[in-house]
Amino acid sequence: MLELRNLRRSFGDVVALDGLSFEVAPGELCGFLGPNGAGKTTAMRCAVGVTAADAGEVRWRGQPIDLAVRRRTGYMPEERGLYPRMRVHEQLVYVARLRDVDAEVAARNADRWIDRLGIGERRDDPVEQLSLGNQQRVQLAAALVHDPELLILDEPFSGLDPLATDVMSEVLREQADAGVAVVFSSHQLDLVEDLCRTVAVVARGRLVLDGEVAALKAAGGRRLRVATDGDDDWTARLPAGAAVVSRRDATVTVALPPTLDPGAVLDVARRSGRLVDVHLDQPRLSELFRTAVADRPDLAAELTEVDR
Amino acid sequence: MSAWQTVRLIAGREVRQRLRSRMFVGTTLALSALLVLGALGPALLGAFERTPDDEPVAADPVRVAVVGSLAPAETAALEATLGPLTTVPAANEAAVVSALEEETADLGIIVGDRVLTPPATGMFAVGTGRAFQAAETLALTEVLDAVGASGSAAAVLGVEPLPVEVIGEDDQALQAARLIAANLAVVFIFAMLMFYASMIVNGIIEEKGSRVVELLVEAVPIRQLLAGKVVGLGTIALGQMFVLFVPATTVLVLANRDLIPPGIGGMLAIIGLWFALGYALYTLISAGLGALVSRPEEAQAVLTPASLLALVGYVVGFAAIQAPDASFAVVAGWVPFSAPFVLPVRQLVGEPTSLEVAGALVLVLLAIAVVALLAARIYEGGILRVGARVGIRDAWRGSSR
C-alpha cells in the first residue's frame, strides 16, 4: 500500500500541500486529479523523494519510503527528463543500472520496452532526435525498465496522440494487473474514468474526493432526462429531493438523490402526457470533479497557477 | 549497490559521453598531433646534427686532462675503450676541474688516483658512463701490467676500478628544461582547470535543464551523483593528459634519447600531482557553483569567482618563475588556491624546503576536504531548483528537495 499521510509543504507563502492524505493499493490504477496548482506534482515529487515534505510522511508497504524503495519505483516527472544526447537504449540501461539492475537484465528489459512501445527503429538514436511523442515513450520506458513495484507518473498522457494514448493506457492497465501500484495525474477526466478503478481529487493541497469511480458515481446521484408530449408543468409536482437541472424544449433533466426511485418522477411526468424520451444517466467523472472542487469555493477561488 | 559502484556507474557515463563528443576528441587529438610535430622538429634536427657531447663514439677525439703521465699501454687501452683521445697535461687537480667546467676537457684523470667527470647530460648519463669505463680500464691496465701475461685470472677479475668523481652540479640543459617545464606547468594547469571547470558546469546545467536530474536523484544520493561527475571528468582529464604527452615523448625517445631533458620523469610527476590537486579543488568549487544555474548562458557568470581565484593563482605562478623563492611565492605556496600553480614552479626552478612542500600538500588536501563538504551542500541545495539562478545562501540554507 502506498500511503500519503497528512503531507504538508509550502514554497514561501504558497501552500502547495495542506495535509494531503490518500492511499493506493498494489494492483490499483489510481487517477490523481486536481486543478492546476492543486498540489498534484508536489505530492508526487514528495512520494519519490525529489521534494521533501515539511510534515507528514509517505509509506510503502508500511515503511517510510527510503532509497531502496525509490529504486523500486518508476517515476515519470512532469517536465520529463532524459539526457538529450544519450542514445535511447544506452539511456534506458543506465537508468536501470542506477536502480541496481544487473547489466544483462537491464539491456534485456530496455530492448523489451523499446519493442513494446514501438520505438525499435530509434534504439540507437540520441533522444533529442526523436519526436516529442517518441521521447515520451522513452520516458515511460525509463519508468518501467527496472520492473518497479510502484509507478508514479506525472501527466503521462499529456501530448500523446490517440494511438500513443491507447498504448499508454494498455501498459498502465497491464502493470496494475501485474500487481504494481500505479498512480498518475491527468486532466483528461474521461480517460481517467474509463481507465481507473479509483481516483483521488485534490484541491489546494487537500483531498476533496476519493474512492472507487463506480461507487463515487453511484453515490453522486443520477440524472433523469424526460420528454413528454404535454406541458412541462409536471415539474412543479416533483418528489422531494429531485431537482430540475435544465430544460430544453420539452426535455427536462432532473437530478435524483441516490435513494429516490426514478419511477416516482416518471409517474409524475406521465400525468401531463405521453413519455417521448427517457434517459437515466450516472454523472460523469468530470461532473463529480467539478462539484468536488466547486463545493469548496473557498479553495477554488484561491487556486494559483503555480503547480509545483 | 554500494556507494562506490554508483559513483563508478555515473563516472562511466561521463567518460563515455565525452569520448563520444567529436569536438572533444578532435581537439585533443589535434593538440596531441601539434605536440608530436613540436617534438619531431628537434628530433629531426638532433638526428642530423649531433654534437660531440651527445655522442661518445663520435669521430672527434675525447679530450682528457691528465695530472701526471699516462703509460703508453694505458693510453692505448683507453683508446680501445673510448675511441681516439687527445690528452692535455694539467698541472694539478684544480686545473682539471676548471678544464671540465669550462668544457675544454671531457674527462679528467689524476694518474693512479681518480677519474673526474662532468655531470651526466641526458637521461642515459653519457659523460659519467665514459668516466666509469676509463676508471675500469686504467685499473685493469695497471693490474695486467703488474702481473704480466701469466697473472692469475682471479687477480684480473678482482680488480678495483679507480674512484670516479663528478664535478659540478646541475648542468645548463637541466636548468633550461626546468624553466621550460615551469612555464608549461603554469599554462597547462591553468588551461586544464578552466576547461574542466566549465565542463562540469555545463554537464550540471544539461542535467538541470533537461530535468533528468529528477530521475537521477530519485535513485541516487545527490552526493554520489556529484562524486561520480568529479571522478568521471577526472578520469577523462587523466586520459587527455596521456594522449597529449605520451606520443610526443615517444617520438623524442625514438628519435634521440639524449634529447629528453634530464629528470623529465620527476618534473612530469610534480606537474601531474599539482594538476590533480588543483583539479579536485577547482572542479568541486565549480560543481557547487554550477548547481545554482539552469541555463548555459549563465555558466560563465556563475563561474566567475572560481575563475578569478584561478587567475590570481596563474599570475602569481607565472611571476614565481622569475623569482621562485621570493617571499610572495613562498606565501602564495601556503595558500591552497594558489599552491597548485606556485608549488610546481617552486619545485621545478626554485628551492622550496621540504616543510614548505609538505605543508602546502597538507593544506591543499585539507582545503579539498572542506570544499567538498561545502560544495556538496550547495550542490544539494541547488540541483533541483530549475529556473532562475539560486542564491548561494538559499542553496546553503535549504536542500532543494
Side-chain angles (χ1 to χ4, degrees):
Chain A
M1 188 77 88
L2 172 70
E3 301 163 78
L4 284 78
R5 286 191 191 165
N6 208 19
L7 286 185
R8 290 176 188 280
R9 173 73 204 225
S10 305
F11 295 96
D13 296 335
V14 181
V15 179
L17 296 180
D18 188 13
L20 177 71
S21 304
F22 72 95
E23 296 175 352
V24 183
E28 192 125 303
L29 184 51
C30 175
F32 189 34
L33 313 176
N36 291 331
K40 301 187 296 294
T41 294
T42 305
M44 295 181 124
R45 288 168 61 115
C46 283
V48 295
V50 172
T51 296
D54 295 335
E57 61 176 351
V58 183
R59 289 173 164 261
W60 172 244
R61 296 191 193 281
Q63 303 295 321
I65 288 197
D66 59 5
L67 185 68
V69 173
R70 293 209 301 270
R71 284 183 170 162
R72 299 196 304 273
T73 302
Y75 171 53
M76 190 165 174
E78 181 195 25
E79 303 267 1
R80 312 296 175 242
L82 294 167
Y83 284 106
R85 285 196 284 271
M86 214 169 162
R87 296 165 187 185
V88 173
H89 184 266
E90 186 188 13
Q91 179 136 227
L92 293 176
V93 171
Y94 180 62
V95 167
R97 298 271 285 133
L98 284 181
R99 284 159 178 75
D100 211 7
V101 176
D102 174 76
E104 273 179 41
V105 178
R108 239 188 353 256
N109 284 0
D111 273 323
R112 195 178 82 222
W113 282 111
I114 284 172
D115 288 343
R116 174 80 172 76
L117 297 174
I119 39 180
E121 284 176 13
R122 314 308 300 269
R123 182 182 184 274
D124 293 314
D125 288 343
V127 167
E128 64 186 354
Q129 288 178 13
L130 272 59
S131 69
L132 284 179
N134 278 340
Q135 289 190 21
Q136 193 134 329
R137 290 169 200 234
V138 180
Q139 195 79 53
L140 176 65
L144 293 166
V145 69
H146 54 297
D147 293 329
E149 54 190 50
L150 173 60
L151 261 181
I152 296 178
L153 313 172
D154 203 348
E155 306 227 9
F157 289 97
S158 82
L160 291 186
D161 67 30
L163 291 178
T165 301
D166 290 347
V167 175
M168 178 75 77
S169 305
E170 211 178 289
V171 169
L172 296 190
R173 197 173 282 143
E174 271 173 23
Q175 290 292 311
D177 289 346
V180 177
V182 185
V183 52
F184 71 93
S185 65
S186 179
H187 290 298
Q188 287 157 271
L189 298 173
D190 293 343
L191 187 146
V192 171
E193 182 173 352
D194 291 342
L195 189 58
C196 299
R197 202 174 68 83
T198 60
V199 290
V201 181
V202 60
R204 211 194 166 206
R206 277 176 243 170
L207 191 74
V208 291
L209 183 74
D210 79 322
E212 292 189 16
V213 176
L216 291 174
K217 285 168 73 170
R222 291 148 300 170
R223 295 186 170 205
L224 184 63
R225 205 167 65 214
V226 183
T228 66
D229 58 3
D231 295 335
D232 63 2
D233 55 358
W234 57 271
T235 53
R237 300 185 293 275
L238 279 176
V244 173
V245 178
S246 70
R247 290 172 203 271
R248 186 181 301 151
D249 301 331
T251 305
V252 179
T253 304
V254 181
L256 310 177
T259 49
L260 183 68
D261 177 5
V265 176
L266 292 181
D267 287 343
V268 175
R270 208 181 277 129
R271 278 178 224 153
S272 72
R274 197 164 53 91
L275 295 177
V276 176
D277 187 17
V278 175
H279 211 96
L280 184 63
D281 270 338
Q282 284 197 318
R284 297 290 296 169
L285 181 61
S286 52
E287 292 171 79
L288 294 175
F289 172 84
R290 286 195 185 89
T291 315
V293 177
D295 271 348
R296 316 285 299 266
D298 55 318
L299 305 179
E302 292 176 41
L303 293 181
T304 66
E305 285 305 306
V306 190
D307 194 7
R308 287 195 239 195
Chain B
M1 191 160 56
S2 73
W4 173 238
Q5 279 172 314
T6 309
V7 168
R8 229 174 43 190
L9 210 57
I10 292 163
R13 195 202 80 86
E14 294 290 336
V15 172
R16 276 196 308 278
Q17 286 305 106
R18 301 304 156 191
L19 290 184
R20 208 167 277 155
S21 152
R22 285 195 198 129
M23 176 87 165
F24 176 73
V25 174
T27 315
T28 307
L29 290 181
L31 275 174
S32 174
L34 269 177
L35 285 172
V36 167
L37 278 178
L40 266 176
L44 290 176
L45 283 178
F48 293 113
E49 293 178 24
R50 290 186 171 172
T51 59
D53 281 352
D54 293 331
E55 194 54 71
V57 283
D60 289 343
V62 178
R63 297 161 302 170
V64 186
V66 183
V67 182
S69 65
L70 286 170
E74 288 175 319
T75 312
L78 283 175
E79 288 202 315
T81 37
L82 303 181
L85 295 182
T86 317
T87 51
V88 186
N92 50 30
E93 186 182 328
V96 174
V97 170
S98 69
L100 288 174
E101 282 174 352
E102 288 157 19
E103 297 182 26
T104 55
D106 305 313
L107 199 61
I109 295 174
I110 299 171
V111 177
D113 183 26
R114 267 176 302 153
V115 175
L116 304 179
T117 174
T121 55
M123 194 174 225
F124 296 91
V126 173
T128 47
R130 197 158 51 194
F132 284 106
Q133 278 179 323
E136 203 164 57
T137 307
L138 288 174
L140 265 175
T141 316
E142 195 180 324
V143 170
L144 286 172
D145 193 42
V147 301
S150 62
S152 69
V156 176
L157 291 173
V159 69
E160 284 282 328
L162 296 185
V164 172
E165 189 178 320
V166 179
I167 303 300
E169 290 179 353
D170 283 353
D171 66 1
Q172 289 169 339
L174 185 60
Q175 292 287 13
R178 283 168 172 270
L179 208 59
I180 292 171
N183 276 286
L184 283 178
V186 175
V187 174
F188 169 79
I189 290 175
F190 178 71
M192 288 287 270
L193 290 189
M194 287 295 91
F195 179 70
Y196 280 94
S198 76
M199 203 139 154
I200 199 161
V201 169
N202 285 322
I204 290 169
I205 287 175
E206 187 193 29
E207 285 175 356
K208 279 185 84 172
S210 69
R211 313 278 182 140
V212 72
V213 67
E214 288 192 18
L215 222 55
L216 302 179
V217 301
E218 188 215 353
V220 178
I222 292 183
R223 281 164 191 239
Q224 290 174 19
L225 188 60
L226 175 61
K229 296 190 85 69
V230 173
V231 170
L233 283 183
T235 311
I236 279 285
L238 259 165
Q240 196 180 23
M241 275 177 79
F242 193 82
V243 172
L244 286 179
F245 295 122
V246 169
T249 317
T250 311
V251 165
L252 276 179
V253 170
L254 289 180
N256 185 347
R257 308 196 280 205
D258 295 339
L259 281 176
I260 295 184
I264 190 170
M267 294 185 211
L268 283 181
I270 289 171
I271 297 173
L273 169 74
W274 287 106
F275 168 68
L277 294 172
Y279 168 85
L281 193 60
Y282 278 94
T283 311
L284 283 166
I285 297 177
S286 309
L289 293 173
L292 301 174
V293 296
S294 312
R295 287 189 293 275
E297 56 268 30
E298 292 173 311
Q300 284 315 313
V302 82
L303 265 181
T304 306
S307 308
L308 283 179
L309 269 181
L311 192 66
V312 170
Y314 172 73
V315 169
V316 175
F318 225 90
I321 295 175
Q322 299 307 320
D325 297 315
S327 46
F328 81 88
V330 174
V331 170
W334 287 103
V335 180
F337 298 106
S338 50
F341 301 95
V342 175
L343 253 291
V345 169
R346 295 201 63 213
Q347 284 187 276
L348 288 170
V349 295
E351 287 176 355
T353 64
S354 24
L355 173 71
E356 284 166 349
V357 175
L361 275 175
V362 170
L363 284 185
V364 171
L365 287 172
L366 273 177
I368 290 172
V370 172
V371 164
L373 289 176
L374 303 185
R377 177 155 173 182
I378 291 171
Y379 184 81
E380 267 189 306
I383 190 70
L384 285 167
R385 293 203 206 168
V386 180
R389 181 170 168 170
V390 182
I392 207 160
R393 257 183 256 149
D394 276 355
W396 176 259
R397 248 187 265 130
S399 126
S400 48
R401 294 185 176 212

